[in-house]
Amino acid sequence: IHMENNHKSDSRGALIVLEGLDRSGKTSQSSRLLSYLEGLSHSVESWRFPDRNTGVGQMISSYLANESQLDDHTIHLLFSANRWEKRSLMESKLRSGTTLIVDRYSFSGVAFSSAKGLDIEWCKAPEIGLLAPDLVLYLDIPPEKAAERGGYGGERYEQLEFQRKVAHSYQILRDASWKTVDAGLPLDDVEKQLREMVLDCVTTCQKGKVLSK
Ligand code: DGP
Ligand code: NA
Ligand code: NA
């Protein structure tokens, strides 16, 4: 996805994105990474998409809960709009030196909608112009294993057959810049690997270096 690398400044926060299937452990690892970086006295926040607190986010939430029906293209654009409505705040946080650990981002948008059969290039288009992550961490887990983890919560996409398709879409989207971690390992082991990757990225951004894409 072509995204803007325009949050460069002398010392800035890092935009770190966690991606993966439902139940891959993103949310647990986000909060662990938050505590870790806070413990090192970094300025850091944990964000997630969809952000269900906005008006758009509430529409998304009711769609996910199967309380409303929307055309596949329409919901795709709402998820994207939900990222766009946070863009300027995201940019100002990064510029002011705050690192953001983000649980899902544009890649989820493309992976989930293209898994429904929507054209992948069409899916990418509304993401163009959002801020490019400095680091994408992919929590890799077989769909079958994710499904076994305490069961799914019952939201719209939490079904094994669909998650298999999402996994396939992620394979197509993934490029050499992503860092993949085996999310089937115990939480502590996953965290240990992620800590190293994240600290490296945060340090590089602090020095004002521009990361290669
Ligand atoms: P979560 O709050 O991380 O459990 O995400 C809710 C569900 O929505 C989850 O199944 C993943 C899916 N999802 C997240 N972002 C997007 C998006 O941009 N587009 C679509 N179609 N689905 C998304
Ligand atoms: Na979920
Ligand atoms: Na999650």
Side-chain angles (χ1 to χ4, degrees):
I1 306 173
H2 180 79
M3 297 174 134
E4 272 183 54
N5 246 323
N6 62 356
H7 48 280
K8 298 160 194 158
S9 62
D10 290 344
S11 175
R12 60 179 180 83
L15 177 52
I16 298 171
V17 169
L18 288 157
E19 288 284 356
L21 299 180
D22 285 290
R23 309 294 293 156
S24 59
K26 294 180 306 309
T27 307
S28 311
Q29 294 298 337
S30 295
S31 67
R32 284 168 175 240
L33 290 171
L34 177 74
S35 311
Y36 171 62
L37 291 176
E38 280 174 345
L40 296 174
S41 301
H42 285 282
S43 168
V44 58
E45 288 181 13
S46 130
W47 285 27
R48 71 180 306 159
F49 289 108
D51 177 340
R52 303 185 190 216
N53 300 312
T54 70
V56 172
Q58 282 163 25
M59 292 175 74
I60 293 170
S61 191
S62 99
Y63 171 83
L64 289 171
N66 291 305
E67 287 161 4
S68 66
Q69 308 306 322
L70 289 167
D71 165 74
D72 289 342
H73 299 81
T74 308
I75 186 63
H76 181 79
L77 295 172
L78 289 177
F79 273 108
S80 184
N82 187 234
R83 288 182 280 276
W84 274 101
E85 63 185 341
K86 306 296 283 195
R87 186 193 183 285
S88 60
L89 182 61
M90 182 179 261
E91 184 167 19
S92 62
K93 293 276 180 189
L94 294 169
R95 280 188 193 281
S96 73
T98 299
T99 284
L100 302 177
I101 312 263
V102 183
D103 183 349
R104 296 192 182 282
Y105 196 53
S106 300
F107 310 100
S108 283
V110 178
F112 280 76
S113 289
S114 68
K116 297 172 175 177
L118 298 191
D119 178 73
I120 195 160
E121 293 308 319
W122 186 89
C123 291
K124 288 178 184 177
E127 307 300 317
I128 296 171
L130 291 174
L131 300 177
D134 295 294
L135 180 62
V136 181
L137 300 166
Y138 186 69
L139 272 61
D140 195 18
I141 191 163
E144 296 73 21
K145 187 155 184 178
E148 286 166 9
R149 286 190 165 176
Y152 288 134
E155 284 202 327
R156 185 180 288 263
Y157 297 139
E158 296 177 346
Q159 291 171 22
L160 179 56
E161 209 37 60
F162 186 69
Q163 295 284 323
R164 285 195 180 112
K165 291 181 185 160
V166 175
H168 177 70
S169 296
Y170 270 126
Q171 297 321 308
I172 294 168
L173 272 180
R174 181 143 59 142
D175 69 32
S177 72
W178 290 29
K179 297 232 190 304
T180 298
V181 173
D182 179 355
L185 295 172
L187 284 183
D188 288 348
D189 298 347
V190 175
E191 183 186 0
K192 188 159 174 270
Q193 292 183 43
L194 293 177
R195 278 185 175 198
E196 230 171 277
M197 296 165 177
V198 160
L199 191 58
D200 209 48
C201 176
V202 168
T203 310
T204 308
C205 288
Q206 265 181 344
K207 290 178 186 153
K209 281 186 196 156
V210 177
L211 298 174
S212 56
K213 289 194 79 182

